[in-house]
Amino acid sequence: SGMASSSAGEGGLWGALMLYATLVPTKVEALLARWERKGAAPNISRDANGTVRLPAVAYTSRNASAAIVVMPSFDAGEQLLHQRGSLASPLSSSFSYELMVAEQDAGRHYLTANISTWHINQDLLVSVNASSGQSLPVAYTVGYWNETQPVEVWLGRGENVLTFFRSSDREIAIKEVRLYKTRPVVPPPPANYTPAPEPPRQAYIEVPASTTCARTGIADIIDADECGRACGILGKKFTGPRSRANITGCFVLADGEWEGRCNFNTNRSAFCAEPPCTVLGGTGREVCIRL
């Protein structure tokens, strides 16, 4: 109300409140004041138990198309805001970390990520040393930080590259990635944070060059967007749709100058009559839907 209080001091209640506001910065003001100050360069560390901690902002490289921003966290430190993935070409959203591993530390690890998102149905995939991507269970966290349930990965002696990428199209924030030597007990998220059912990520298979989808009795991929998603899940670089002469649908080049590249053939009448078939000087392997 507009009534003055004898305990508010000269100027009344509102004057006292204004004085308080100028003397005690709010959390928002503190965050704004910190926004322009660049923090110390974050370091990857390993503790006495062998747990590796990778600050999300300490990535080594990123795809030129990746929509990521380094920003201060509201609580402390910094976070990586990944703004969107790509259904057609998930690897175009990728960012990577290089990690040196001593011989005694090589082997099985359990990977988690501390993430926050205010959107449902989001994903985060990881590929270790160019392996097929596997999904981290990203929960709807209502904007709070939450450590994902662990997934098993293998690290070799020497340099390892961990590449993260996405196919979903909304933001998630990532604070830290951890690699444990033994499976950690991570409390599951509350029931209302539970992820939506995962799409069948094991639904795609790269068949041997000696056969085709049709010969093995499984369906080929007839859509360029689905081809891009399949290629990303299999850890291949999708380079888009092209018209080719002698292979069907979605395919990977197994050798040659363009080894590891994944294409979608827009020529619907093309097929590989006598596999193996050569495309652009390399051996083509079809990517199929595993029913």
Side-chain angles (χ1 to χ4, degrees), residues 78-228:
E78 294 179 310
Q79 65 196 41
L80 185 148
L81 179 66
H82 196 286
Q83 296 175 305
R84 60 186 174 275
S86 170
L87 179 62
S89 181
L91 286 174
S92 68
S93 70
S94 66
F95 56 100
S96 300
Y97 304 85
E98 293 178 2
L99 177 65
M100 294 300 297
V101 174
E103 184 171 4
Q104 65 271 21
D105 294 320
R108 181 187 291 110
H109 284 71
Y110 298 92
L111 185 148
T112 69
N114 191 16
I115 64 99
S116 172
T117 184
W118 47 101
H119 303 294
I120 62 172
N121 300 339
Q122 299 308 298
D123 67 354
L124 178 63
L125 295 96
V126 61
S127 167
V128 180
N129 298 326
S131 64
S132 297
Q134 60 176 315
S135 179
L136 296 174
V138 174
Y140 167 53
T141 71
V142 202
Y144 291 99
W145 291 115
N146 182 261
E147 188 174 9
T148 62
Q149 294 297 302
V151 298
E152 184 178 306
V153 298
W154 284 80
L155 301 179
R157 179 175 61 87
E159 183 179 270
N160 292 261
V161 179
L162 282 71
T163 300
F164 293 84
F165 54 98
R166 302 178 58 220
S167 64
S168 55
D169 61 354
R170 304 299 293 273
E171 301 92 339
I172 67 170
I174 309 170
K175 185 78 168 181
E176 184 179 61
V177 174
R178 296 181 183 178
L179 290 155
Y180 297 89
K181 293 294 292 289
T182 57
R183 182 181 289 274
V185 178
V186 178
N192 61 323
Y193 290 12
T194 302
E198 285 288 318
R201 300 194 180 280
Q202 289 72 42
Y204 305 110
I205 181 172
E206 178 186 344
V207 298
S210 59
T211 189
T212 66
C213 302
R215 286 179 178 229
T216 55
I218 55 179
D220 53 49
I221 294 172
I222 60 173
D223 178 79
D225 286 347
E226 186 172 14
C227 179

